[in-house]
Amino acid sequence: SLQAGLAVLLKAERLFHSSYHSQAVHIRPVCRVIHQFAQFPCGGFPDASCLAVSWELRQTLTVVFDTFSSGQGKKDWSLFKMFSRTLTDACPLASQSKVYVDISPKNKEKELLEVTPAPTSVHEAIVQGDKRTYAVYDLLSPSLFNTSRSLNVQLKWKRPQDSSELPTPILHAQRYVSGYGLQTGEISTLIYNTHPYRAFPVILLETVPWYLRLYVHTLTIITKGKENKPS
């Protein structure tokens, strides 16, 4: 149902006019009951030792909004500005329903940004070698909707920020098409790691149009001028 929970924000008019959106469905087998005397190297399980298998379905929706350009050079944003809707309650079937807002301080200046309303909790995690702080809004928390039946998460900067201070992500990518036709056409993807010393594992997911035929045996990966074999 699109009448409750985070699905309320899925308004096609807003999603399809964003800078980027991607929908995906992941299905995988998960062993529910394993033979108690079996030993499994490398974390896997043979078919003979798995007594019961369940299928896990995971649906994801990724959307990128260019709020800096649409907001006349301001970094302020809110759920209503992006989706033209707010959250009213959690999905009655959901065991978890949370909104995470990245409030990591830049140059240790926490006083620069303000997130409203007050989050139900704060979560810290290590992402790509950096410590990140997230404001967490738990839609299942009874106190979240006590004051209002509508949750409109907003982030405001207390003083104007220089537009040139937009941070460059540690990992970023570019993709371009060269040549033409099935014989000379190529798709090239450039992945950049700007971290001064750390290497990161990369999982590359390519979205290919239905009319474009790719030949896996022609895949080449070049790292620092040398060919690199993928795992």
Side-chain angles (χ1 to χ4, degrees):
S1 173
L2 299 181
Q3 305 301 321
L6 301 179
V8 173
L9 303 178
L10 304 184
K11 187 177 181 181
E13 178 184 344
R14 289 287 186 171
L15 298 181
F16 296 150
H17 284 81
S18 58
S19 298
Y20 172 85
H21 69 274
S22 174
Q23 303 178 55
V25 177
H26 304 270
I27 303 176
R28 66 166 184 163
V30 178
C31 187
R32 190 170 69 250
V33 180
I34 303 178
H35 196 284
Q36 59 180 346
F37 298 108
Q39 295 182 355
F40 314 113
C42 303
F45 57 90
D47 294 339
S49 58
C50 185
L51 302 182
V53 177
S54 296
W55 288 92
E56 178 189 82
L57 170 65
R58 183 162 57 96
Q59 296 174 285
T60 62
L61 173 64
T62 303
V63 185
V64 176
F65 290 95
D66 191 356
T67 57
F68 187 80
S69 298
S70 59
Q72 290 78 42
K74 296 182 180 180
K75 293 184 179 180
D76 300 347
W77 60 264
S78 69
L79 290 181
F80 186 78
K81 287 182 179 179
M82 290 189 294
F83 299 98
S84 71
R85 294 181 179 180
T86 58
L87 297 174
T88 55
D89 54 6
C91 175
L93 299 179
S95 59
Q96 290 188 14
S97 185
K98 297 181 180 180
V99 176
Y100 291 83
V101 180
D102 191 342
I103 57 172
S104 304
K106 185 180 180 182
N107 299 328
K108 299 182 179 181
E109 294 179 318
K110 290 186 178 181
E111 70 279 359
L112 288 182
L113 57 86
E114 177 184 12
V115 60
T116 57
T120 53
S121 63
V122 176
H123 175 71
E124 293 185 345
I126 304 298
V127 180
Q128 295 181 359
D130 292 334
K131 185 177 180 181
R132 312 298 295 182
T133 304
Y134 299 93
V136 182
Y137 295 87
D138 188 355
L139 272 64
L140 296 180
S141 175
S143 61
L144 190 60
F145 296 103
N146 275 351
T147 57
S148 173
R149 288 298 302 168
S150 175
L151 174 63
N152 182 29
V153 180
Q154 303 181 64
L155 189 142
K156 296 182 179 180
W157 292 83
K158 294 185 178 181
R159 65 172 183 258
Q161 296 294 295
D162 186 2
S163 60
S164 63
E165 292 184 0
L166 289 177
T168 301
I170 295 177
L171 292 176
H172 61 279
Q174 297 177 355
R175 186 171 72 161
Y176 61 88
V177 178
S178 60
Y180 59 90
L182 292 179
Q183 292 184 348
T184 62
E186 294 181 353
I187 296 180
S188 298
T189 301
L190 305 179
I191 302 177
Y192 299 91
N193 177 15
T194 60
H195 198 279
Y197 60 87
R198 184 168 179 174
F200 299 97
V202 174
I203 299 178
L204 179 62
L205 302 178
E206 287 280 3
T207 303
V208 181
W210 64 268
Y211 54 81
L212 187 61
R213 178 176 298 179
L214 294 184
Y215 298 95
V216 180
H217 71 280
T218 65
L219 172 66
T220 57
I221 299 179
I222 307 299
T223 303
K224 295 182 178 179
K226 297 181 179 180
E227 186 170 356
N228 186 5
K229 295 292 184 181
S231 58

